[in-house]
Amino acid sequence: MKKTRIEINHIPALVWGEKSDKVYLCVHGKMSSKESAEGIANIAEQRGYQTISFDLPGHGERQNEDKRCDIWNGIHYYQYVKEHPVQKWNIETNILFAGRDTLQSLEIVKDFVHNFNCALTLSENSEHPFMAEEDGPIVEQWLQDNL
């Protein structure tokens, strides 16, 4: 697959696949980097999408930056979201949720799914990061079914 390194406002990023008007933006998880998008990008390309991934502060090529991507920086965003809750959600949304997630309540996710007509797939024995060896096929199948 074609992979091109670019910078967006000095942020290292990768563009995966052939040029397309349809694009997925892939944000990696904790302790990861833009390169972790390869699996998603492969599936997306099969469906005619290009994928863009980038390094969050403190990750990948940005490990030595002073900025960090942590809970303390996220608090400002959280406060904004609490003050400005989502009223409309007009985008088809499919959620894969870990049944043993200790960071987010299943009830909150179910409320979101109900309020905004989303699809929910529950992986009962998975934990929040979906990083266990047995999670790989679960995530890949979900991506195949939902991208």
Side-chain angles (χ1 to χ4, degrees):
M1 173 185 347
K2 183 177 176 183
K3 177 172 71 171
T4 306
R5 187 192 179 283
I6 63 170
E7 286 195 3
I8 304 169
N9 292 331
H10 307 289
I11 297 171
L14 292 172
V15 179
W16 304 83
E18 297 299 324
K19 184 175 177 153
S20 175
D21 291 334
K22 303 184 299 182
V23 177
Y24 278 111
L25 178 63
C26 183
V27 181
H28 65 78
K30 187 175 181 180
M31 309 299 289
S32 193
S33 67
K34 64 189 174 300
E35 287 79 12
S36 66
E38 186 171 8
I40 293 169
N42 279 321
I43 295 168
E45 186 179 44
Q46 294 169 15
R47 288 158 175 77
Y49 284 81
Q50 200 170 37
T51 301
I52 299 174
S53 59
F54 61 94
D55 283 329
L56 290 167
H59 296 78
E61 292 181 57
R62 299 177 72 190
Q63 288 182 15
N64 297 323
E65 285 186 7
D66 289 335
K67 287 183 179 180
R68 302 296 303 166
C69 182
D70 59 26
I71 188 66
W72 305 113
N73 290 324
I75 287 174
H76 299 293
Y77 178 71
Y78 174 75
Q79 289 171 334
Y80 176 85
V81 170
K82 290 294 281 183
E83 293 168 6
H84 304 89
V86 173
Q87 301 296 322
K88 284 176 127 180
W89 193 267
N90 297 326
I91 299 169
E92 180 182 339
T93 302
N94 301 298
I95 299 170
L96 175 60
F97 187 79
R100 294 173 42 203
D101 191 324
T102 59
L103 301 177
Q104 183 58 265
S105 158
L106 177 57
E107 294 311 311
I108 289 173
V109 173
K110 283 183 174 180
D111 284 347
F112 184 88
V113 165
H114 174 75
N115 292 337
F116 299 108
N117 197 31
C118 304
L120 174 64
T121 302
L122 179 63
S123 180
E124 302 232 1
N125 295 316
S126 296
E127 295 181 3
H128 175 78
F130 287 97
M131 297 298 281
E133 189 174 325
E134 58 271 14
D135 289 330
I138 293 167
V139 172
E140 184 173 341
Q141 185 61 56
W142 184 86
L143 290 168
Q144 290 282 356
D145 294 343
N146 291 284
L147 278 188

